[in-house]
Structure formats: C-alpha cells, structure tokens
C-alpha cells in the first residue's frame, strides 16, 4: 500500500538541532542537500561558552542562553542544558511537524548507496497511519511495496494517526555505557529497510538522536524532565529522552494515536569514552528497573483527552508512586508540570 498522496509542505516542518559543539560548519554542510529546503531552529547548549559557527545559506533561527532565560525565566525547574537544550526548540516552534537530529550525526546511505533523506522518510512515517492495535508481520503496510497480510482485520486497516517517528543509527549504535564498554569495537552496519508501529501497551527506549513528531498532537509530551545526578554531555550519560519516551508512549496509547520505529537512519560519528561514562549512567540503568513496571501498570482517566493533560496526570502518579523511592522522580514530576505550564504560556504568545 504505497503512500501516493502525502501532502506535507516544506513550510510545515521545523528541523531542530541542539548544538553541543561550537563549530557546526561541517555538520551543516553535510546536511545541506536535505536541510536547505526547511526552516531550522538551532539551540545552543547554555553551558557552551564558545561562539557558535553556522555556515551561510540556511533559513535558520539560533537561540542562545539569553533567549532561553527570557522565555523561561529563573523560577522554572526545567533545565535546558546539554541535550535538553533542543526541547527549547520544540517549545518555540510554530510548525506542525518537528524533526530533531543530534549534532554528531551525518546523513546515512541506504543499501543501494543512496543518501537517506531523513526528513522525507520521517514525514512519510507521520503522514501515513500507524497500526498499534494489531501487528502487521510485513511491518508498516503503508510503506512502498508493502501491504496488510492475510488475516489482518479489514476493520483495523484504516489505522490511526501517527504522532511520533523514532529513527535509527548506523556506525555508533545508541547502546548504554555498560554495553558499549563491553563491545568497544562494535559498530552497527545493518541497514534494515523497514519501519513498524510499536504495539499499544508495549514500551521502547526512545532515542532522541533521530526523531520526528506531530507537534500539534504530542508536542507537550516531549519534554526534559528526568535529570541524572551525574548527567554529562554524551548520550550514554543521559536518560532524559528515555524517560520522555515512556511518558509520550503512555499518552499516545491513551489518546489512540501511534508511534513508529525504524527507518530513517542517520550515521553517528565517534564521540566520547563509554568506560569514562559508566559511573555517570549507572544510576539511570538502575532506575529503569523501577520505571518500567510503573509505566506498564499506569492507566490514565478516560476524561483526559489532551497530551498536556496526560503529562500532568502522569506527573501526579510519578510523584505519588515513585517519588518516595528517589528524589530524582519528584524533581522529574515537578519539571513535567512546569513544562506544561510553560508550553501553554509560550503558545498563548506569538513567536
């Protein structure tokens, strides 16, 4: 069932980049063939002291620490440092779709050697339905060359709106620090040309490295909330995107909308030392053992019908059920409530 009638205009898409390195020249030039058609939002990590270098020829708005301070103020529990800076871009965007790529990623090549248009594929994922209520063994039936298999109920073939597209990575896979430390030479070379809907009730570790989402549907449910005590500037030293992914999946399941995982791929460049990061992320590895059962048992009220209300309700349960075991959860719950308040405040004013 090929996607013949996707009607998403370039001006409906924002590309959001969190800048953790000062010189984006080579990064932007590598992405130029794909990114130059779109509006870009670059958010500089507030902890980055050097001047940001962005090459000419892009339609780009750059936000720095003074912009963040002006919009957010000093009273908020939300911290936009490190990888969390990109969420500020989600906040100030006014587009329907957001694509967000880490600044240590480059365009990947598919099995035919062609450059992967990461934006086009994310848009296809979001603009075609998801099928969370019954798994199609031929993956996403809306991709080119695929369809529903025999036995798939016709009553479910229209699917539901897809709100979140989680892409993957070649070269340096998004492993945690213990796994990467055990396999320091391992690189992901398998390009699997497939995308699938994550079934309702199933959870996945959402990697913020390469994602896209429908801002109007789930924008308020993508936030920086869970901050580890020893959080660093490398992906395997953070859990903010994993926590956010658990929350947004609860919201999507509750609202009857879908999440896809698979293509498009990006190429991740080498960065950091996993052994050095082990101590920092170990806290997060342990927290997940407690977090997963909590989210698996979480049920939201039927009267909750908006993403922002889902976030507030999840935050209340986090505080009550997890807050007693670790203050990191209490802080996360407070940041979630603050985020919704901020989302509404920024949304009510013109950008």
């Amino acid at each position: 069932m090929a996607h013949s009638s996707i009607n998403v205009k370039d001006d409906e898409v924002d590309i959001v980049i969190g800048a953790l390195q000062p010189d984006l020249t080579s990064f932007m030039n590598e992405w130029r063939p794909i990114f130059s058609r779109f509006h870009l939002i670059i958010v500089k990590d507030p902890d980055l002291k050097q001047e940001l270098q962005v090459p000419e020829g892009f339609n780009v708005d750059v936000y720095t620490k003074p912009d963040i301070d002006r919009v957010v103020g000093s009273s908020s529990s939300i911290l936009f440092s490190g990888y969390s800076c990109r969420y500020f871009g989600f906040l100030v965007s006014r587009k329907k779709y957001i694509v967000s790529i880490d600044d240590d990623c480059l365009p990947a090549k598919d099995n035919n050697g062609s450059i992967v248009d990461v934006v086009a594929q994310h848009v296809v994922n979001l603009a075609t339905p998801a099928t969370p209520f019954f798994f199609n063994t031929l993956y996403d039936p809306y991709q080119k060359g695929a369809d529903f298999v025999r036995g798939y109920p016709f009553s479910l073939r229209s699917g539901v709106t897809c709100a979140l597209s989680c892409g993957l990575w070649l070269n340096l896979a998004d492993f945690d620090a213990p796994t990467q430390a055990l396999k320091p030479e391992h690189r992901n070379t398998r390009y699997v040309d497939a995308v699938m809907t994550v079934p309702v009730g199933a959870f996945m570790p959402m990697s913020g490295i390469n994602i896209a989402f429908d801002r109007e549907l789930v924008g308020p449910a993508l936030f920086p909330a869970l901050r580890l005590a020893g959080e660093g500037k490398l992906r395997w030293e953070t859990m903010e995107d994993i926590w956010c992914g658990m929350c947004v999946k609860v919201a999507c399941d509750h609202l009857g909308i879908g999440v896809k995982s698979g293509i498009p791929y990006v190429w991740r460049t080498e960065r950091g030392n996993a052994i050095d990061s082990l101590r920092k992320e170990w806290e997060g590895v342990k927290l997940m053992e407690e977090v997963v059962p909590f989210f698996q048992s979480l049920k939201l009220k039927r009267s909750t019908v908006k993403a922002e209300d889902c976030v507030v309700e999840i935050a209340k349960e986090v505080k009550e059920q997890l807050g007693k075991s670790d203050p990191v959860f209490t802080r996360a719950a407070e940041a979630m409530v603050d985020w919704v308040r901020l989302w509404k405040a920024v949304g009510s004013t013109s950008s």
Side-chain angles (χ1 to χ4, degrees), residues 166-224:
C166 303
L168 295 171
W169 351 262
L170 289 173
N171 194 41
L172 198 65
D174 193 14
F175 293 138
D176 51 34
T179 305
Q180 190 66 52
L182 282 171
K183 298 176 162 184
E185 306 305 318
H186 179 82
R187 297 297 176 266
N188 186 35
T189 56
R190 291 181 65 219
Y191 180 95
V192 181
D193 190 7
V195 62
M196 64 188 76
T197 297
V198 183
V200 67
F203 288 90
M204 78 291 171
M206 184 185 83
S207 166
I209 291 169
N210 167 21
I211 61 166
F213 59 94
D214 185 325
R215 188 182 180 277
E216 293 172 3
L217 275 180
V218 292
L222 284 111
F223 47 74

Side-chain angles (χ1 to χ4, degrees), residues 135 173 199 238 264 313:
F135 187 78
T238 70
E313 194 176 333

Side-chain angles (χ1 to χ4, degrees), residues 226 243 287 290-291 318 322-323 325-334:
L226 189 87
W243 174 265
L287 286 178
E290 193 174 350
V291 160
V318 167
L322 294 176
S325 66
D326 195 312
V328 73
F329 295 124
T330 305
R331 290 193 293 272
E334 288 167 358

Side-chain angles (χ1 to χ4, degrees), residues 96-98 122 125-132 160-166 197 206 211-219 221-222 248-249 251-253 255-260 307:
K96 179 173 173 60
Y97 296 114
I98 286 180
H122 272 309
N125 292 350
L126 292 169
T128 52
T131 52
V160 299
T161 303
C162 181
L164 175 65
S165 170
C166 303
T197 297
M206 184 185 83
I211 61 166
F213 59 94
D214 185 325
R215 188 182 180 277
E216 293 172 3
L217 275 180
V218 292
L222 284 111
V248 75
K249 186 59 166 62
C252 286
D253 285 357
L255 298 171
I257 52 184
V259 174
K260 293 182 185 178

Side-chain angles (χ1 to χ4, degrees), residues 17 19 21-35 40 42 52-56 58 101-108 115 267 269-271:
I17 310 295
Q21 53 183 327
D23 190 352
L24 294 181
T25 306
S26 62
F27 167 82
M28 297 288 281
N29 284 333
E30 289 276 357
W31 283 105
R32 188 181 293 275
I34 296 167
F35 285 178
L40 280 80
I42 296 177
L52 207 58
Q53 294 175 49
V54 180
E56 296 290 317
F58 291 92
I101 308 290
D102 276 4
D103 69 350
D104 57 356
C105 296
L106 301 175
I115 293 287
W267 177 277
T269 53
E270 311 287 320
R271 220 172 128 196

Side-chain angles (χ1 to χ4, degrees), residues 71-91:
V71 173
V72 179
S74 55
S75 59
S76 175
S77 61
I78 305 164
L79 297 171
F80 288 99
S81 64
Y83 283 106
S84 293
C85 69
R86 72 201 172 104
Y87 294 90
F88 185 80
F90 302 173
L91 188 68

Side-chain angles (χ1 to χ4, degrees), residues 297-350:
S297 64
L298 192 57
K299 294 283 182 286
L300 304 184
K301 298 183 186 123
R302 290 183 68 176
S303 56
T304 306
V305 293
K306 288 183 177 177
E308 55 262 47
D309 299 329
C310 291
V311 174
V312 171
E313 194 176 333
I314 294 168
K316 181 174 177 288
E317 295 299 323
V318 167
K319 193 169 187 177
E320 289 176 5
Q321 294 187 45
L322 294 176
K324 301 182 193 75
S325 66
D326 195 312
V328 73
F329 295 124
T330 305
R331 290 193 293 272
E334 288 167 358
M336 288 162 70
V337 174
D338 273 358
W339 172 261
V340 171
R341 198 178 295 130
L342 186 61
W343 188 275
K344 289 177 177 176
V346 171
S348 66
T349 59
S350 58

